[in-house]
Structures are given as C-alpha cells and as structure tokens.
Amino acid sequence: MAATDEPVEAGFADPTGDPLLRTRFALPARPATFVRRPRLTAHLDQALTTPLTMVNGSAGAGKTLLVADWASSLRHPVAWLTAESTDQAPGVFWAHVLQALRAAGVPVASEVGSPAEAGRVDQRTLTRLAADLEGRDHSTLVVLDEFDRVVSREIAEQLEFVLHHAGRGLRLVLVTRTEPLLPLHRYRASGEMTEIRDAELAFTPDEAHELLTRHGLDLPASAVLALVERTRGWAAGLRLCALAARQGTDPHAYLKQFEADHSAVADFLLAEVLDRQAPGTQDLLLRISVLERCCPDLVNVLTQRTDAEPILAALQRENAFVHYLGHSWYSLHPLFAEILRAHLRERFPGLEPELRSRAAQWLRRSGALPEALAQGAAADDWEFTTRAMVDDLALGQLFTGLRSDDLSALFERMGPDVRGPAPDLVRAARELAGRDVEHGLAHLHRAEEELARDGATDPAAAGLACALLEALAARLTGTPGRAERAAEQALALRPEVPGHLLDEHPELNALLLTHLGSARLWAGRFEDARTVLSTVAGRPGGAAMALPRWEALGHLALIDYLNGWLGRAEHKALAAAGQAQRYSLPQRSGAGLGTLVRAAVLIDRDELDEAQALLDEAAASHLLGEDPVEEAGRVLTRGRLLLAKGDARAALAAADAIVPAVVSSPWAEDHAAALACAAYLAQGRPESARKAVEGVADRRAACAVQAARARLATGHPEEALALLDSLPENDRPGPAVTVRATLVRAQAAHRLGDHTAAQRLLGRALLDGRRDQLRLPFLEAGPWIRPLLSTGRLRELAGGWLLPTAGRGRPAPAQPQQPAIVVEDLSAREHDVLCRLAEMRSTEEIASDLHLSVNTVKTHLKSIYRKLAVSRRGDAVRRARDARIL
C-alpha cells in the first residue's frame, strides 16, 4: 500500500524553491477497464526478495499501472515517486525521494536532513539515509516511475551507493523505458535482480479478451488472436483499438480492418516515439519502415550514412519499438512500421519504391534471396525479381520448401504487361505447380523462344529452369521421352552453372529427377525409375528437399507394391507420411502415392475400413490434373477396394476408366486387365475373365496369375499350371503375387485329385502370406479352401491371423471362459491402436506413433467401438481385456 492521501507539509519545497507536487507521490489510479494480470504480479512479488527490480518496456506497455496495482495490494508502505526531466539535479532528485518516503508514512530520521542545494547533495545525507534504512526491521519499498527521464550519471551512482549500503532495508523498483545507468550486470550475475521486460509485458490472448470485454466488446477468439498478433500484445495499442472500435457500428469489422496510420494508435506512436527522436533518427526510422528486418549495413545503404549501428542500438535500449533479433539484426514493431510507412509516403512521395529496390539488390548480394524477392515485388520491379528467381536457381522453390505458397502469392501480383523470358518462366512454373499444363506450356514455349534471341538472362540458369519445367510437363502428360530429353539437357548445362548455386538449391535437381523417375515409372521401366528416385529419397536437405523426398518415397513404394512386396511398400509409404508430417507439406501437394499404397496394402490384408479411410483422405486432397501415375494408382486401388467389398460391377467400371496420357502405360494396362479379370470371376463369368487378361498374360506375373485363375474357372487346371510354369525366370515378384500363384497351384492340384500336393502348397502359401498378413488372396481363392484350413497343420498355420482366435496371436484356451461380446475380429492396425489406447495415449499421440493421420485413427476407433459393441474408450479397453484381446 502507499499512503498517498496525506498532503505534503505546508511550505515544503525542493532546493530550488518550487513546491513538491503531491501527484508525483501518489499511486496512479487504475481505470475501470484495467485488467489485473496475476502472472505478472506473481513475478513482481520477487521484488520483495531482491534489492533491485526493473520493469523495462516500451511506451504504452502497461508498466506503470501494473506496478501500481501490485503495490496497492501490499501490506507494507510503498514510497512512490514519478520522475520528471527536471530531476537531473542531484539535490532536487533526493529531495523528492525523501518526500516520497514521508508521503508513504515511512519515517526518516531527522539526522538524515534534506538537500539544501539543487546541484548537489551532501554525501553525509546519503550515508545517513542508507544507515537509517539498513537499521530497520522491515524492508522499505521505493518505486521510481518513469526513471528513463533521469539521465544523470551522478544521480545513478548515488542511487547505487544508497541501494548497496542499505542492504536488506531497501527494495528499489525502477519503472523505465530504457536501461538505467546502474551497474545492472552485477545484480544480474549475483541473482539479486528481478526483471520484467517488454516481451513479458505483452498481453496474452486471454488477457486481451478480458480487456476487450471490459471495453464492452464481445469478440470471437480468432478475432482476439488476430488483434494480439497485429499489436504484438502491446497494451496501449489494444486499449486504443478497443476505444476506437466502440465508436463504430461494427466493432468486429473495425478491429479486423482498421488502418493503423489513421487511428489513435498512430497519434500515440508518432507523439510518444517518433517525435521524441532527433531529425536524423526520425529519417532513419522512416526509411527502414519498408524492411521486415534490418542490419546496420543495410540501413546505411538506405540512409546513405555510416552511423546506423549506434543509432539502432540506442533505439533498442530506449524501447523505441525497435527489437533486437540477434546477430546485428533488428526489426520494428509491425504497427509502428505500418504507421511509419504511411508517414514516409506523405513526407517523401515516390521514395518507397526506390528504397525497396535498393534493399532488394543489397539483400540478394548478401544471400537473403527470399527477402530480396519480397522487396523487389513490393517495388514492382518484376524484371529484377523474376531474373533473381531464375538466375539464382530459385525457381524450384515455387514447388517445394516452406515458402512455396508465399512465393506463388507474391508473383500473382505480376501484371500481364511484364514481358520477357524470366517473367514467362516464373508464370510457367506457377501454372504447372497448379497442374494447369495448357497455360504452363504456353508460357514455357514463349520463354524458350525469347531466350533464343535474348541474352539478358543467364542462359545456363534459364536452361536448367526450362529443363525442370519440361520434365514436369512430361510427367503430367505421360510423355517419358520428353522427360528423358529434359534430363539430358539439364545434365549438359550443369557444368556451366556456379557450383555454390547448385549446392544452395538442391531441390532443383531433386525435383527434376523426381519428374524423370515418375515418367520412367509410367513407362514401366521400374529399375531405371528406382535408380533416380532412390537418389532423391536418400539425399538430405531439410525442408527444401521435403517434397521431392516425399514424392520419391511414394513412387518407390508404388514400385514395390506393383512387384508384390507389400512390407517394403508399406515401409516406404510410412516414411513418406513421416516426411509430410514433419515438414507440414502444403495441402496443395495432395495426399500422395504413399497414401494410396498404404490403402492398397490394407486391401490385401482385408482391412477394408482402414483402406477406405485412407482413400477418403486421398480423395479429399485430390488435385485436378494430377499426374497419370497417381491417377492410375487412385483408380486401380479404388477398383480393388470395390471388388473386395463385393461390388464387381463398380470394379469393372474402374478397370475401364481411361487415365489421360500421351503414351499409355504397360503396367497400368496390365493391372487394369487383372482387375477386370478378377471382377468377371467374382461375377461368375470365367470366359469374360479369360478374355480380359488374355492379351497381357505373358507380360507380368500378376497378370499370368489372374489368367491362370481364369483357366481354372473354365475347367482347365493343366492350362493354368502351364501358364504359371511359363513365367520368365528374371521376374521375381514378391509375396502378394507368389502367394496367389501358389494358391492357384494348390487349387489346380485339388481339382486334379492330388490332395497331398494341395495341402503342401496351401501350407507354403500360408507361411509366405503370414508375414504380410495377406488375407485377401485366401478369401479370393473360393470355398474349396475352407475344409482344408479347418484341420491339422494348416489350421495351426492359419491361426491368429487368418482364422479367428480368442486373442490376437494366442491360441484359444482349452477350457474357454465365458467371453465378452465381440462382434467381429479386430484388424492388425485396429489392434495396434487399441494397445495404445490402453496406454492412455491421446488420438494425436497414437497418430504420430503409428504414422497415421488423426482422421485415420478416429476411423479406427469407430471401427473398434463397433466391433467391441461399446461407445467409449475405457469400455473398449475393458471389453478387450475381458475378451483376452489385450
């Protein structure tokens, strides 16, 4: 508390003869809209245990009201003094300090006396004051508000003397905009200082919401958060915005769209910050307002002077809304910068574009290309900006990296009147990134024509850009030969490009190789595709390489899947998902091949609900004009899921779907034929099945297996076996193919009456299928298999993964207890989710651990609840334990 109601003694004056004004010793009153902030008052409580406390923040940060509110809640008296610029004379300053103690009801020993001269204070007065304070039972709290106005080094030394010798008897709180001249480093090093600085003074969204509510404004959380972000939690800015918003008819719209340069916020900052600076410093602030961040060298370029470093440091020390970012870089408070830019346009019309162009050139030379591009675009200097993109090999960043969306939006403002090879290359990249092949190729061809006659742009860099875009166009149109030519062009140009640029932009070559690998995959050249894709997938490079790695892993997963290696395919697909989650790849990238491959693997495991969830996820992010590899993967996977669910007619429609491409893909045709064959067999039309796959039976093992199934269905087991025996020796498919082939052989043996061979072959298929949980091939095999699986060794091999048991991986007990109701067996993935559910993990944690999306985990949980006949997590875990599933 502070005894502020007692009047100053009549006739009491400072050494100059001026009266001591009572208002300087009174705690400032808190307005009705004041918001108490317990987190800060709790921090201030430490001031009672340390000799020195500093509350240091910018103008309008809420320092004074915070300390006043805290001081008013204390049980001990608080001596409060609001400093003024007239307090530079030691005698005047100490006269006011002594009066602050008396006004608070803190007795001051008569021997301390009082300064008699304005310009000096007797050392004995300071010594006696320190001794008087040190000898007391309780500490005396002194708050010096607006201490930044006291700039006298002599006063600072005297204050340090009293603070040091008063010991535990004095607790000093300085409320200031600048660092005081006291030896703060000593107090910090010894842990004897409490500090609250600008960042901590900033209002949190919850505190801002309460402040706005006290001003009669009820805003949604999103609007409050946006306002806090724009003001950076600056207290005065929030209050001024709230007051202005109350005057309008739509406060929400005002706070969302208010123009800072035409508001009370602007008046406050111009008066309290800009106008306090010297003319040269004002000019510097106006010029750097065009920058997101600045360093002394860059500021010197814009101001054409050489003293930026000490000026920036001083502004930062003064809390003049200049923030130090580290490593000699600074930034302006965004609202202050916005207001300064408006002031710059009024005071110096036409200067802003010149400043931005100068900044862009300096930033590019310094290696800060993203900022250089932003400044060039803001200056409408599109020739510079597009040439920087092309000549610095940054064009690949329109496709990948954390700023791809920002770059695309930046060039969206470039008008059609901007012409030249570099602008057209950037336009082509933007169009192709959005899968608009027609317009992208039009811009690309015009750029190539212009390059043939225009030498302004670096020919090697522009040639690499053309090669990248040609390769992407080849991938999107399904033209493998075009992709090969683009790769050859890039290979020939690489020696002509500076090595450091290639090292700085690894994404350019990675994207080109990814497009080449996709085109080779489409052509059916799996091993050639694997070679280039593996190079990309195995290369480090952080966020810039995330998209190429993600795509390469997805394509490699598809190659493994098409070859029948489900385990390898799933591993790569999950690695691709990890890339997407780790680097938060943009939604416009789509769900990717990895998601489709994971769905296809789940179909072979007969985990159809999970597969459907992944296909739905892929469909939600499906891009129009996707490349034919992904489109074919999407169509065929959906067809296989429809067939597995029993909808053979829809599966046939999927098999007949045409994937647009200039060149047809042999594997896409083969797998479409195999899908059609399987659908006809499911309809009981073996002759149609035989005809569907007849033309491709000798091209791929999977097709030969389907053709053999069709021959079996038409009653020709010998022909089925002959087809399987004629498979080329160099074709080494994985279990997804070999298990089906073994099942065909087993069925043929069964048809021919060789039951021993049928059992042996079925046992081999079970062993081979168990590792990857390949259930679907056994379900497709037909009813002949069921009696064989119900007896002896075959039942043991099928138990725990193909045939239902009381618990996953456990044989049924000899004397089964009364089980809890389980509607249907859980899938392997559902069991994984359930195990983590039992560990009390959240949905997000389960998703991260299993490399799944949160939506996929939610789908699993719904399926688990349905199968266990429960509706809550805890009930699911209990039911699973009762049923011995856990």
Side-chain angles (χ1 to χ4, degrees):
M1 67 178 184
T4 60
D5 295 328
E6 296 183 11
V8 176
E9 295 179 25
F12 209 101
D14 70 20
T16 66
D18 291 334
L20 298 174
L21 302 175
R22 176 180 176 279
T23 53
R24 294 185 60 186
F25 310 110
L27 263 68
R30 275 79 67 206
T33 56
F34 176 76
V35 174
R36 295 208 68 198
R37 300 200 274 170
R39 64 181 178 90
L40 294 180
T41 53
H43 192 172
L44 271 175
D45 285 340
Q46 297 177 22
L48 302 175
T49 63
T50 58
L52 179 62
T53 295
M54 182 177 67
V55 182
N56 187 349
S58 56
K63 309 178 294 296
T64 297
L65 292 181
L66 167 69
V67 177
D69 179 59
W70 169 74
S72 67
S73 67
L74 299 177
R75 284 183 277 178
H76 300 298
V78 177
W80 184 285
L81 171 62
T82 300
E84 291 187 354
S85 56
T86 55
D87 294 343
Q88 307 309 315
V92 173
F93 174 80
W94 285 104
H96 281 83
V97 171
L98 292 169
Q99 181 56 35
L101 291 168
R102 297 187 189 98
V106 178
V108 178
S110 58
E111 59 266 22
V112 172
S114 185
E117 300 178 42
R120 62 180 296 274
V121 62
D122 194 302
Q123 184 64 30
R124 288 177 298 178
T125 298
L126 302 178
T127 302
R128 290 167 180 169
L129 175 61
D132 185 25
L133 293 171
E134 194 273 338
R136 301 186 182 199
D137 294 336
H138 300 288
S139 298
T140 298
L141 185 67
V142 176
V143 178
L144 299 181
D145 188 24
E146 299 192 35
F147 190 70
D148 48 278
R149 295 181 175 182
V150 180
V151 295
S152 166
R153 184 171 294 277
E154 183 181 1
I155 291 176
E157 291 173 353
Q158 293 166 352
L159 191 61
E160 156 62 12
F161 173 83
V162 174
L163 181 61
H164 175 70
H165 290 287
R168 296 175 60 87
L170 176 61
R171 296 291 182 254
L172 180 62
V173 179
L174 302 180
V175 183
T176 177
R177 294 188 191 182
T178 64
E179 293 252 320
L181 297 175
L182 277 67
L184 303 179
H185 60 281
R186 297 179 191 169
Y187 291 95
R188 288 182 178 126
S190 61
E192 295 181 308
M193 182 175 174
T194 299
E195 285 188 83
I196 295 179
R197 303 186 74 90
D198 228 19
E200 193 176 355
L201 288 167
F203 271 60
T204 66
D206 287 342
E207 291 168 346
H209 183 270
E210 184 178 350
L211 176 65
L212 294 169
T213 301
R214 286 177 178 267
H215 282 80
L217 301 173
D218 184 16
L219 300 177
S222 59
V224 175
L225 181 60
L227 185 61
V228 170
E229 289 177 351
R230 190 171 180 193
T231 60
R232 298 280 175 88
W234 177 44
L238 290 168
R239 289 192 182 97
L240 291 170
C241 287
L243 289 170
R246 289 176 58 184
Q247 308 303 316
T249 57
D250 189 347
H252 187 186
Y254 173 85
L255 292 176
K256 186 177 181 180
Q257 303 170 2
F258 84 96
E259 299 178 17
D261 52 309
H262 294 94
S263 67
V265 177
D267 296 338
F268 181 94
L269 286 174
L270 292 174
E272 291 292 325
V273 182
L274 185 64
D275 292 347
R276 288 189 174 202
Q277 308 300 329
T281 303
Q282 290 187 29
D283 181 74
L284 179 145
L285 285 168
L286 290 171
R287 289 170 180 262
I288 68 173
S289 67
V290 303
L291 303 171
E292 289 293 323
R293 60 177 190 143
C294 61
C295 67
D297 288 344
L298 175 55
V299 175
N300 285 334
V301 168
L302 297 192
T303 59
Q304 298 180 329
R305 43 198 286 182
T306 59
D307 57 352
E309 186 168 6
I311 293 177
L312 289 171
L315 288 169
Q316 189 266 334
R317 285 195 304 271
E318 294 169 11
N319 280 315
F321 290 81
V322 175
H323 305 298
Y324 184 60
L325 305 176
H327 304 288
S328 298
W329 285 89
Y330 297 82
S331 70
L332 292 174
H333 187 288
L335 270 182
F336 191 33
E338 188 177 339
I339 291 162
L340 289 174
R341 283 194 296 274
H343 214 53
L344 172 70
R345 293 168 193 141
E346 290 180 8
R347 189 179 295 186
F348 304 108
L351 181 59
E352 182 179 355
E354 179 186 336
L355 293 172
R356 289 189 181 277
S357 289
R358 260 191 265 168
Q361 293 169 23
W362 186 93
L363 288 163
R364 184 186 177 192
R365 290 194 302 271
S366 302
L369 184 62
E371 291 168 276
L373 296 173
Q375 289 294 339
D380 281 332
D381 191 349
W382 295 110
E383 176 62 25
F384 165 86
T385 309
T386 55
R387 283 191 59 187
M389 279 290 290
V390 174
D391 291 351
D392 288 15
L393 301 189
L395 203 65
Q397 292 185 356
L398 279 167
F399 302 95
T400 186
L402 299 179
R403 300 187 67 254
S404 56
D405 288 338
D406 293 339
L407 280 173
S408 183
L410 184 148
F411 286 104
E412 189 176 7
R413 297 189 282 111
M414 182 170 61
D417 56 313
V418 181
R419 303 300 296 270
D424 278 322
L425 281 173
V426 172
R427 289 190 182 98
R430 287 190 69 250
E431 300 289 3
L432 290 172
R435 300 307 192 252
D436 187 343
V437 178
E438 180 182 354
H439 289 95
L441 284 176
H443 291 304
L444 177 57
H445 292 157
R446 186 163 63 221
E448 290 170 336
E449 292 171 1
E450 292 164 336
L451 284 168
R453 60 176 183 269
D454 184 354
T457 303
D458 184 331
L464 276 182
C466 290
L468 170 65
L469 300 181
E470 287 282 0
L472 175 54
R475 170 183 172 181
L476 295 176
T477 56
T479 318
R482 184 177 191 172
E484 296 290 347
R485 290 190 295 274
E488 291 171 2
Q489 176 189 357
L491 186 63
L493 289 169
R494 282 176 65 87
E496 301 178 29
V497 178
H500 73 276
L501 284 179
L502 292 171
D503 293 339
E504 289 170 8
H505 296 285
E507 72 279 356
L508 189 74
N509 190 55
L511 287 166
L512 193 148
L513 291 179
T514 302
H515 302 332
L516 176 62
S518 181
R520 286 178 174 178
L521 195 163
W522 180 248
R525 297 166 53 195
F526 287 177
E527 292 311 307
D528 291 340
R530 191 191 300 275
T531 298
V532 293
L533 292 168
S534 297
T535 300
V536 177
R539 180 160 184 183
M545 286 288 293
L547 181 66
R549 277 199 303 264
W550 173 67
E551 289 196 329
L553 285 166
H555 282 75
L556 289 169
L558 179 61
I559 292 172
D560 283 336
Y561 177 79
L562 293 174
N563 285 330
W565 297 98
L566 269 61
R568 300 176 190 175
E570 184 178 42
H571 177 76
K572 292 182 177 69
L574 289 173
Q579 283 286 307
Q581 291 179 358
R582 179 180 180 185
Y583 292 101
S584 301
L585 291 175
Q587 286 297 315
R588 64 182 180 83
S589 299
L593 276 173
T595 302
L596 296 174
V597 170
R598 288 159 59 202
V601 170
L602 290 171
I603 293 169
D604 270 321
R605 290 176 179 162
D606 195 40
E607 298 180 12
L608 306 186
D609 290 343
E610 295 86 341
Q612 183 67 64
L614 287 175
L615 279 178
D616 291 343
E617 180 183 331
S621 57
H622 180 218
L623 297 175
L624 293 176
E626 194 57 81
D627 70 86
V629 170
E630 185 158 345
E631 191 61 33
R634 188 186 314 279
V635 169
L636 293 172
T637 304
R638 185 174 67 247
R640 293 190 63 246
L641 178 60
L642 290 167
L643 181 60
K645 288 184 172 183
D647 193 344
R649 178 179 295 181
L652 278 173
D656 290 338
I658 297 175
V659 175
V662 174
V663 177
S664 60
S665 171
W667 65 263
E669 291 181 345
D670 293 350
H671 281 269
L675 174 60
C677 176
Y680 283 128
L681 288 174
Q683 289 181 331
R685 299 163 60 188
E687 278 301 324
S688 297
R690 182 183 63 79
K691 291 177 181 177
V693 80
E694 193 169 37
V696 298
D698 58 346
R699 299 203 320 211
R700 201 169 301 275
C703 297
V705 172
Q706 285 298 337
R709 285 188 65 207
R711 298 295 173 89
L712 264 178
T714 58
H716 299 90
E718 296 89 350
E719 293 181 14
L721 292 172
L723 270 173
L724 296 178
D725 291 337
S726 65
L727 288 175
E729 293 184 2
N730 60 353
D731 190 355
R732 299 182 180 276
V737 177
T738 59
V739 166
R740 285 180 167 89
T742 304
L743 286 172
V744 171
R745 291 183 184 278
Q747 186 177 3
H750 187 267
R751 289 272 185 92
L752 295 170
D754 190 348
H755 299 295
T756 301
Q759 289 184 330
R760 175 175 53 79
L761 289 165
L762 184 54
R764 184 197 305 171
L766 288 168
L767 285 170
D768 291 344
R770 181 165 57 183
R771 175 177 296 179
D772 288 329
Q773 305 284 292
L774 283 166
R775 300 180 187 87
L776 189 62
F778 295 90
L779 297 175
E780 293 172 337
W784 68 273
I785 201 173
R786 294 172 190 163
L788 297 179
L789 291 177
S790 64
T791 57
R793 172 67 174 162
L794 296 180
R795 179 174 183 177
E796 183 180 339
L797 289 173
W801 68 278
L802 184 58
L803 296 179
T805 61
R808 182 163 300 282
R810 302 179 183 177
Q815 296 180 346
Q817 302 174 357
Q818 183 67 29
I821 298 174
V822 179
V823 176
E824 183 182 341
D825 273 5
L826 303 183
S827 69
R829 184 63 78 193
E830 288 167 351
H831 188 262
D832 292 340
V833 171
L834 182 62
C835 289
R836 286 154 180 80
L837 203 65
E839 296 170 359
M840 304 296 289
R841 299 198 195 185
S842 68
T843 304
E844 290 75 14
E845 290 170 335
I846 296 172
S848 175
D849 193 37
L850 296 177
H851 301 287
L852 301 173
S853 71
V854 171
N855 286 337
T856 300
V857 172
K858 289 179 179 178
T859 300
H860 286 314
L861 290 173
K862 289 178 183 178
S863 181
I864 291 169
Y865 297 162
R866 176 179 60 81
K867 292 180 178 181
L868 296 181
V870 298
S871 59
R872 294 183 297 183
R873 288 180 170 222
D875 293 340
V877 173
R878 284 190 291 273
R879 178 65 53 82
R881 286 175 175 154
D882 291 344
R884 299 177 182 268
I885 295 173
L886 288 175

